[in-house]
Amino acid sequence: MCGIVAYIGDRKAYPILVKGLHRLEYRGYDSAGVAMLNGNLNVYKCKGKVSDLEKFIGDGTTDGTIGIGHTRWATHGVPNDVNAHPHYSESKNLVIIHNGIIENYAAIKAELKKRGHTFLSDTDTEVLIHLIEEIQKNDSLKLGEAVRQALNQVVGAYAIVVMSKSNPDELVAAKKGSPMVIGIGKGEFFIASDATPIVEYTKNVVYLEDEEIAFIPRNGELKIKTIKNRPKTPSVQALELNLEAIEKGGYDHFMLKEIYEQPRSIKDSMRGRLNAEKGIVNLGGIAEYEQKFLNAKRIIFIACGTSWHAGLVGEYLFEDLTRIPVEVEYASEFRYRNPIIYEDDVVIAISQSGETADTLAAIELAKSKGATIVGICNVVGSSIARATHAGSYTHAGPEIGVASTKAFTAQVTVLTLMALRIAQRKGTISSTRFHQLLSELESIPAKIEKVLKLNEQIKTIASKYKDSSNALYLGRGFTFPVALEGALKLKEISYIHAEGYPAAEMKHGPIALIDEEMPVFVIATKGGSYEKVVSNIQEVKARKGKIIAIVSEGDEHVKEMADYTIEIPETDEILVPLVSVVPLQLLSYHVAVMRGCNVDQPRNLAKSVTVE
Ligand code: M6R
C-alpha cells in the first residue's frame, strides 16, 4: 500500500527520497511523488512507477535538505497525476503525504467547500491538508499544533508527514492504524512506512504508536506527544535489518530469491526453538501463555490471503495433534459478523506484514471480548505484533515480492512447532510420534533444497501451460490449503484464472470445466488420502483434462496417468505442505515471467494491505 519517506538534515533530500521510494515499491502502488523545500516548495508527482517520476522530474529543481516522498495505492480517486501525493494546502504553503483512509473526509470537504476551499483532486488526503491549514490560520497556531487539532477531527487511519514552506526546519508526522518509523541519525532524521529506506543510514529507530504525533526538527531533539496532547518519551530501538536482506542478491526477481531462501528461512524459524536430538520444542514468545492453550476450548485463526491458507494448515495441525477444535476465519468476515468469542478462546492472528488492517481490527474485536490473542508475524515490531498478548515471530527475513512465498512456509513451520509443543504439554501425542515429527521437521530444509533442484523441469512444465486461461488446483487433507495457495500464486502474478479445491469436491461443480484445455495441478503425495486423490485424477483424465501431479519420489503409479509429474521427497503427511508448495511457487513464477508480467509488483496488488 502507500509508501511514505521523508528526510530532514544536512544532506540533499532528493536522492534519499527517490532511493527510499524504490525500496518501498514492493508495497504496491500506482503513482509516486516528491516535494522538496529550498525556498520554493516544489512538488513533482505522476501516475506510474518511481522511475517514471524520475524521468518526469528530469532536470527539474531538486535542491533542498528537507523533503517528503510518496508512493500511492489508489483508494479515493483513480490513479492519476492529480490524485498522486504530495498534496498542497489551499495556499500552497503546506504539503502532505498520507497512507490510510480518512473516513469522514466527505463531510469535512463539504464544510470546507462552503468556506471557499477549492480542491484539485478526488482524494481524502487533500481534504486533510486543507483542514490543517485552516485551523493553523484561524488560530495562528504552530504547524504541529494545527496538525494535532485537525487529527482530533478525523475518523479513520493515517500515517502522515506534513511540511511547511514557512518552516523549513521541521517536519511533522503522525500515525494511527498505518505504520511509521523514524530513523535517528546524527543531526538528521529519516521517516518512512517501514525500515527499508532507513536501514543504510541508521540503526536507531522509533516506531510511532497510534495517535502519536512527532515533531521532527532539523537540528535538535525528536519530540512526541499524543493527539490528546500528552507528552511521550521516544523509545529508541535498534533496527535488526541488514541491507543484503532487502536487495536481490543476483536473482532476477525478489520472488525467486525468496523461494530459494526457504531452506534458510525455515531453519531461521526453527532456530533456538527445536532440538530434535533432545526432543525439545520451545517457543519463548508463548511460554507464559501455554496454560491458556491448555485450557482453551477452541482456537480461532484469523488472517487474510496466503496467511489465511497457513491458518488452514494450522487447523489440520492443531486438530490432529492437540485435539483442540479449530476455526479458521477470514479477518474481514470475522470482524463484521458479530462473532461469538469466549474468554477461553485462543485467537491466533497470522500476518507476514503485521499491518493488515482487517486482521488488526479482528484482533481488537477478539481482545475486547476477553480472548487471548497470539500473533504469528514476520515483521518485528509491526502493529499486529504489538497488539497481541503473546506471539512468535516467523523470522523469515524481509519478504519484498508481493506474492508471499517464504512467509507462508515460515508461518506453517511456526504453526507446526506450536501445535507440537501444545500437544506435548496436553499429552495428546505419543512420545514416539513426537520425536519422529521433530526429526522429520528438522529435515525439511534439506528436502526443499532437493525440490529447488527441479527448477529446470518445472520451468519446462510452465512453458507448456503459460498460455492457459484457467487452471484448477486439487489437494486433500493437509494438501488442500496447498492447492488454494498454488492457485492464489498463479492468479496473482500471471493473471491466469485459477481455483483451488478439495479434490473430492471437484465432482460437485468444477468438473464441468474440465476439457482438453484445462490444466489440473494435483498434489498426490503419499499419505492417508492418496488412493482417493488417484481416483480424482482418473476422473479428470476421463474428461481429457491435463494432469500435472506433485507426487512422492518414486511414485510410478500416478506417473502412468499424469501428463507431467514433479517428484518431491517423501515426508510425514502433516509436513507435506512445506515441501509441496515449493514446486507450485516456482511454477507460478516461471509462468508469470514467460507471460511478461511484473512478478514482484503484480497489478493492483499491495504487499501490505493497510486499508480494510
Ligand atoms: O501481511 P499479511 O500476511 O497479513 O497479508 C495478507 C495478505 O494480503 C497476503 O497474504 C497476500 O494474500 C499475499 N501477498 C499473496 O501472495
Side-chain angles (χ1 to χ4, degrees), residues 117-135:
H117 287 252
T118 49
F119 294 93
L120 305 175
S121 76
D122 304 318
T123 64
D124 49 341
T125 307
E126 192 186 10
V127 175
L128 178 56
I129 195 67
H130 278 239
L131 177 67
I132 291 169
E133 181 169 70
E134 189 178 87
I135 292 172

Side-chain angles (χ1 to χ4, degrees), residues 304-307 351-353 356 402-404 488-489 492 609:
C304 306
T306 290
S307 298
S351 173
Q352 186 287 130
S353 63
T356 302
V402 164
S404 221
L488 176 61
K489 286 292 86 83
E492 70 178 325
V609 184

Side-chain angles (χ1 to χ4, degrees), residues 157-203:
Y158 52 79
I160 57 167
V161 184
V162 180
M163 183 165 76
S164 165
K165 193 173 171 183
S166 6
N167 186 358
D169 294 325
E170 187 183 50
L171 290 171
V172 176
K175 85 141 226 155
K176 181 183 176 191
S178 299
M180 179 165 283
V181 53
I182 301 171
I184 306 174
K186 288 204 175 86
E188 59 185 352
F189 292 96
F190 307 82
I191 301 116
S193 297
D194 63 41
T196 55
I198 294 177
V199 60
E200 66 200 89
Y201 306 110
T202 178
K203 296 274 189 198

Side-chain angles (χ1 to χ4, degrees), residues 304-607:
C304 306
T306 290
S307 298
W308 187 86
H309 295 156
L312 213 52
V313 179
E315 176 181 31
Y316 286 87
L317 284 166
F318 271 82
E319 290 202 339
D320 189 83
L321 297 174
T322 71
R323 309 308 296 150
I324 304 171
V326 174
E327 285 171 27
V328 189
E329 300 274 0
Y330 288 112
S332 53
E333 287 297 311
F334 180 77
R335 60 181 288 205
Y336 283 118
R337 67 164 170 73
N338 195 13
I340 299 162
I341 305 164
Y342 301 109
E343 286 188 1
D344 55 8
D345 284 338
V346 172
V347 173
I348 304 184
I350 309 175
S351 173
Q352 186 287 130
S353 63
E355 301 296 345
T356 302
D358 281 318
T359 310
L360 203 47
I363 288 172
E364 295 305 340
L365 174 67
K367 228 197 227 175
S368 72
K369 307 277 183 201
T372 300
I373 322 289
V374 171
I376 297 183
C377 292
N378 194 35
V379 177
V380 176
S382 54
S383 305
I384 292 177
R386 283 180 285 144
T388 47
H389 294 119
S392 299
Y393 284 114
T394 47
H395 295 310
E399 189 179 68
I400 309 290
V402 164
S404 221
T405 52
K406 64 174 180 172
F408 174 77
T409 48
Q411 288 164 346
V412 173
T413 303
V414 170
L415 285 164
T416 311
L417 292 169
M418 227 178 240
L420 281 165
R421 171 73 187 176
I422 303 305
Q424 186 195 29
R425 290 283 321 268
K426 274 194 86 166
T428 48
I429 186 168
S430 72
S431 168
T432 318
R433 176 110 177 99
F434 181 74
H435 284 88
Q436 185 193 10
L437 281 172
L438 257 48
S439 15
E440 195 52 35
L441 186 55
E442 213 165 49
S443 74
I444 291 296
K447 293 189 173 174
I448 292 180
E449 291 282 9
K450 285 184 89 177
V451 177
L452 293 170
K453 295 212 167 80
L454 305 175
N455 185 40
E456 282 308 311
Q457 184 210 351
I458 293 169
K459 195 169 171 183
T460 307
I461 298 173
S463 71
K464 308 286 177 200
Y465 298 104
K466 69 176 178 21
D467 297 320
S468 305
S469 310
N470 298 290
L472 203 55
Y473 285 71
L474 303 178
R476 221 166 158 162
F478 279 92
T479 64
F480 162 51
V482 178
L484 293 180
E485 177 58 9
L488 176 61
K489 286 292 86 83
L490 188 72
K491 74 182 114 182
E492 70 178 325
I493 60 168
S494 73
Y495 317 140
I496 294 174
H497 170 237
E499 293 197 50
Y501 265 93
E505 214 23 52
M506 184 184 60
K507 52 184 160 307
H508 299 286
I511 201 163
L513 295 167
I514 291 173
D515 61 16
E516 55 279 8
E517 300 295 321
M518 177 68 105
V520 182
F521 298 90
V522 189
I523 304 122
T525 44
K526 290 276 165 61
S529 309
Y530 174 75
E531 294 300 341
K532 305 261 179 228
V533 174
V534 169
S535 306
N536 299 136
I537 290 176
Q538 275 159 344
E539 287 158 11
V540 174
K541 278 321 287 176
R543 283 146 190 97
K544 300 197 169 60
K546 302 282 179 279
I547 292 285
I548 305 95
I550 315 284
V551 297
S552 306
E553 255 168 10
D555 184 328
E556 293 301 321
H557 184 43
V558 173
K559 208 180 244 176
E560 282 168 17
M561 288 175 258
D563 295 84
Y564 295 96
T565 50
I566 301 168
E567 292 184 49
I568 63 170
E570 203 164 338
T571 183
D572 192 283
E573 189 176 7
I574 76 161
L575 302 177
V576 167
L578 288 167
V579 189
S580 58
V581 75
V582 178
L584 299 181
Q585 296 168 341
L586 281 170
L587 197 114
S588 304
Y589 169 78
H590 290 302
V591 169
V593 171
M594 287 169 197
R595 287 166 71 94
C597 299
N598 187 342
V599 173
D600 284 333
Q601 291 155 37
R603 68 182 180 208
N604 306 337
L605 284 178
K607 181 67 183 164

Side-chain angles (χ1 to χ4, degrees), residues 100-153:
I101 291 180
I102 306 300
E103 287 168 15
N104 58 340
Y105 85 103
I108 299 173
K109 189 173 185 175
E111 287 301 315
L112 290 168
K113 270 185 170 171
K114 276 192 217 156
R115 298 199 286 269
H117 287 252
T118 49
F119 294 93
L120 305 175
S121 76
D122 304 318
T123 64
D124 49 341
T125 307
E126 192 186 10
V127 175
L128 178 56
I129 195 67
H130 278 239
L131 177 67
I132 291 169
E133 181 169 70
E134 189 178 87
I135 292 172
Q136 186 181 21
K137 276 191 179 158
N138 286 350
D139 298 322
S140 312
L141 297 175
K142 284 190 171 170
L143 178 64
E145 181 55 18
V147 171
R148 191 188 70 75
Q149 291 190 16
L151 292 178
N152 277 291
Q153 293 186 31

